Amino acid sequence: MTYIPDYLKTYPNMNTSSPLHISLNRLYHGFRPHRHDFLEFSYVVDGRGSESINDARHQMLPGTFTFVLPYQVHEIFTEPGSTLVLYNCMFSMDLLMEPGQEGGLMDLIEQNAMPPFVQLSGSENEKMKLLIEDMYQEYKGNEPWRRTMLQVRLKEILAFFDRYRRKGVHSAETAKQSSKSSASVWPIIHYIHRHYQDELALSDLASRFSLSVSRISEVIKQTTGQTFVHFLHDLRLRHACSLLVSTDMNVSEIALEVGYGSYKTFSRIFRETKGIVPKDYRKMKLNQDTLRQ
């Protein structure tokens, strides 16, 4: 039987100025095949099972830390008679982008030849556990500088993970085991994420990355499951939703800020995608926040 993975596009706290959500979960029967356009890490606290990332499967035990990239097909299996207890943290790629810098932690995404998981033990496992528990408590609280502390902790966790997995890569050949097509994907995706607010066309990308328009289009579709136009709209509308909820900018200003040349075009695409016009979306979200208080 062929399974078509779910495409998950939302998570709690996504459309805010700090798009990050961490939770502690119990999986009795694993989790169905899925992919998403955001980043995720998980850390196993208790139980046994396994997970598959793009058809490569590995064990999940206490101390297993996994870093799932956008658009990868991911599935979790709980061992019969066991319960997987694990932290899951979902966050936007934007949180890894340093203003004015091209590198930084975005390099973690482009290192797709590196293993996507590590099995921590001993003092390294204890350190990771403390970092994640601290992040979880910070997320649940409402202390001053909460947003800053969460972003600092996220980067510390990912840097610690990357240092540890590099120790497990013993040969230069292992680090180079990646196809040319996959190696070319992330610079393109990264560039679109950085420049979706500008006027951006497939011809611009083709020229920049020395590929044909048809090849660029094919790479984007293979990676994201979307056409370039739909991918671009998704990024712009996600930013727009965040601004509608977290700022007092008027809708026309938001349209220009996220890359649309006119309010009319923005409103039409927003309504076609969300089923509601931007002003009503803002009212709906503000009312929801009021009811929660």
Side-chain angles (χ1 to χ4, degrees), residues 13-25:
N13 209 42
M14 184 184 80
N15 293 322
T16 68
S17 58
S18 185
L20 178 151
H21 173 71
I22 183 170
S23 58
L24 181 60
N25 303 295

Side-chain angles (χ1 to χ4, degrees), residues 153-210:
R153 186 63 76 232
L154 172 66
K155 293 176 180 180
E156 188 174 3
I157 288 168
L158 293 178
F160 183 74
F161 155 71
D162 191 52
R163 282 182 175 180
Y164 191 90
R165 71 174 172 176
R166 285 172 184 270
K167 296 177 184 177
V169 179
H170 297 295
S171 70
E173 287 302 313
T174 303
K176 292 178 181 178
Q177 289 176 357
S178 177
S179 68
K180 291 183 179 179
S181 60
S182 63
S184 67
V185 168
W186 289 111
I188 296 169
I189 299 298
H190 184 191
Y191 186 83
I192 296 171
H193 270 265
R194 280 196 170 273
H195 296 278
Y196 66 83
Q197 293 161 274
D198 305 331
E199 289 187 20
L200 199 58
L202 277 172
S203 56
D204 301 326
L205 296 174
S207 175
R208 182 175 184 86
F209 293 98
S210 301

